[in-house]
Amino acid sequence: MRPVNVLACLFVAVGIMFASLLHEVHAQDRSGQSAGTLAARLPSDYRRQIAEYVRVRNRYVLRDAQISAPYERWGGLFAGGTFIAICVKLHRDNPLGIVVQDNHVVTFDGGKLHEVGMGTESCDNLSRFTELIQPPAAPQPQRTGRSAPAPQATRPTAPGGSRP
């Protein structure tokens, strides 16, 4: 066996072990603390701030929106370990009118909202994002700009069914 092949196999094995270690750390972070404990470390109006953030950046019709409970996410050794993240799942129209799904991951750093990624992970532990999606308004009758024709007066009929 060539030395290059042995080194390549060793490199792949170390990479697989490192990836599995990071995956286990990430899995532990998601279940480490309760959502209530994590939410206490966020601004009190974090849901409203996220809703406003999405409204400003989304220019398409929103069909549905869901938000996750706060969870800890692994950010890497150079980013300081873990941070509190919130996932937002949007169903919206695209430019062709087809409904698509977007997943946004946001966090707060020093009280300021930052987007971590879009579409980088699946959202779970979701609930309806009521601050972003309002219940549909009652349908209004369509108005064409012209006034409706006035009702025609009916003439009384003479006895026997004939008209005078």
Side-chain angles (χ1 to χ4, degrees), residues 6-7 28 37 43 45 63 66-67 75 97 100 110 124 135 144-146 154:
V6 172
L7 287 176
Q28 290 172 357
T37 304
D45 64 341
R63 301 297 178 175
Q66 296 175 319
I67 188 169
V100 297
D124 55 357
T144 60
R146 292 188 298 162
T154 56

Side-chain angles (χ1 to χ4, degrees), residues 26 30 50 53-54 67-69 71-74 83-90 102-108 113-124:
H26 177 69
R30 280 198 161 209
I50 295 170
Y53 178 85
V54 171
I67 188 169
S68 74
Y71 62 93
E72 281 192 317
R73 179 177 176 191
W74 178 250
F83 60 91
I84 300 173
I86 300 105
C87 189
V88 178
K89 181 182 198 180
L90 303 175
D102 292 334
N103 292 349
H104 297 267
V105 179
V106 297
T107 189
F108 287 85
L113 186 133
H114 299 282
E115 186 157 2
V116 176
M118 181 177 164
T120 57
E121 61 187 72
S122 63
C123 296
D124 55 357

Side-chain angles (χ1 to χ4, degrees), residues 7-80:
L7 287 176
C9 290
L10 182 61
F11 182 71
V12 169
V14 169
I16 290 171
M17 287 182 356
F18 185 68
S20 67
L21 175 66
L22 286 179
H23 177 70
E24 284 188 34
V25 168
H26 177 69
Q28 290 172 357
D29 290 342
R30 280 198 161 209
S31 62
Q33 295 184 19
S34 72
T37 304
L38 295 173
R41 294 171 35 198
L42 295 172
S44 60
D45 64 341
Y46 76 92
R47 289 175 63 107
R48 185 199 57 77
Q49 287 187 39
I50 295 170
E52 187 61 30
Y53 178 85
V54 171
R55 270 191 205 99
V56 167
R57 284 158 182 77
N58 179 51
R59 60 182 187 264
Y60 301 106
V61 174
L62 280 177
R63 301 297 178 175
D64 188 31
Q66 296 175 319
I67 188 169
S68 74
Y71 62 93
E72 281 192 317
R73 179 177 176 191
W74 178 250
L77 294 175
F78 297 114

